[in-house]
Amino acid sequence: MSMRLFTPVSPCLVAAAALLAASAPVASAHAEPRATLPVCASAEDRAFPLTTRLHGGPASYTAGGGSGTWHLELTNTTRRPCTGVHPVVVLVDEARALKPSQPRLEFYDGKRPHPVRFESTDRDELVGAFAAEDAGFPGFTVGPGRTLTVKVRLAITPDAVPGEVTANAAVVQRHEDDGDWIGQSNDYRFRIVAAAPTGPVPQPPHRPRPDAPGELAGTGFHPLHAALTAAAVLLTGTGALLLARGRR
């Protein structure tokens, strides 16, 4: 995929071009030619035609926990429609330990979610294109002067290393086997935190007083002691259950 650049982009975004090219459908030699998408920006434009903003995401994600929702806002600043728009999300963690399988990202085309597949660059950055490999996705369309807000959901697998992560998005308008960079977002920073341990809280052993009244001599059995032990087991189990529910 050849790319026309309106402003300089980072090397990791160049890797996104190859990812988009790999996900593009292969045209048959006997297939009818498809109509070429109109170019969103003219050759004279020096700025990106789409203003791109990430917002609304949580400050942290628990490894192995639930997903968080954020939004990718695309605003067309031109008088021309932008069609075939494919955002590309880039994740960079401070430890360079995040693996492509650990972020579980999906975007919404209307009410339908589509998974995003990440690839790792030679700088250990993760790049994921909104290409919707599970179904034909022609890309988003943003009308002249209009704003499109794309819902995004992210979850992190339990084996991810805790640490700071920076997400940003570049936006590509694809034209068959080439395309244009037409937008780039702000940074969205968040932290991956380790899951809190679950399970019952250890309780100190119950030791009856030697002079407890009513003790049966020579047997070691005490009715009140047995009742209290049973109650402690029940309360400990209930407390652990409530604690686990609260943490979830």
Side-chain angles (χ1 to χ4, degrees):
M1 172 183 279
S2 61
M3 301 299 297
R4 185 160 62 99
L5 306 180
F6 292 92
T7 63
V9 294
S10 65
C12 65
L13 298 182
V14 176
L19 189 61
L20 279 171
S23 63
V26 179
S28 168
H30 303 287
E32 295 183 1
R34 291 181 293 174
T36 302
L37 295 175
V39 176
C40 184
S42 66
E44 291 76 23
D45 291 334
R46 294 292 91 192
F48 285 130
L50 287 186
T51 300
T52 308
R53 187 168 72 100
L54 297 176
H55 65 93
S60 65
Y61 295 81
T62 300
S67 59
T69 300
W70 34 287
H71 295 88
L72 173 61
E73 192 174 90
L74 306 170
T75 300
N76 186 351
T77 62
T78 74
R79 297 181 179 179
R80 297 173 294 275
C82 290
T83 56
V85 174
H86 294 267
V88 179
V89 169
V90 180
L91 301 180
V92 182
D93 66 303
E94 60 180 358
R96 294 298 198 274
L98 197 61
K99 300 177 181 178
S101 61
Q102 292 172 336
R104 299 293 175 86
L105 188 72
E106 60 182 11
F107 70 93
Y108 282 75
D109 175 19
K111 294 184 178 181
R112 183 176 183 182
H114 299 283
V116 174
R117 178 173 61 89
F118 281 99
E119 298 283 354
S120 181
T121 71
D122 57 1
R123 298 185 179 186
D124 294 320
E125 300 153 323
L126 302 186
V127 179
F130 289 19
E133 298 179 354
D134 61 325
F137 176 65
F140 296 108
T141 296
V142 187
R146 303 296 297 272
T147 296
L148 173 68
T149 300
V150 181
K151 178 182 175 181
V152 182
R153 288 172 62 87
L154 174 66
I156 306 296
T157 58
D159 56 337
V161 176
E164 296 286 344
V165 181
T166 299
N168 56 52
V171 184
V172 175
Q173 183 184 31
R174 189 164 65 187
H175 309 284
E176 297 293 340
D177 59 347
D178 65 358
D180 299 327
W181 295 114
I182 57 174
Q184 189 165 0
S185 78
N186 58 306
D187 288 345
Y188 161 40
R189 293 182 175 87
F190 59 88
R191 171 169 284 275
I192 298 175
V193 297
T198 59
V201 178
Q203 299 292 326
H206 179 74
R207 296 175 180 174
R209 294 171 55 188
D211 56 346
E215 184 175 359
L216 298 184
T219 64
F221 175 77
H222 191 292
L224 181 59
H225 180 204
L228 290 175
T229 303
V233 171
L234 289 174
L235 290 174
T236 302
T238 304
L241 178 60
L242 292 176
L243 180 63
R245 287 179 176 173
R247 284 172 176 165
R248 283 199 295 270

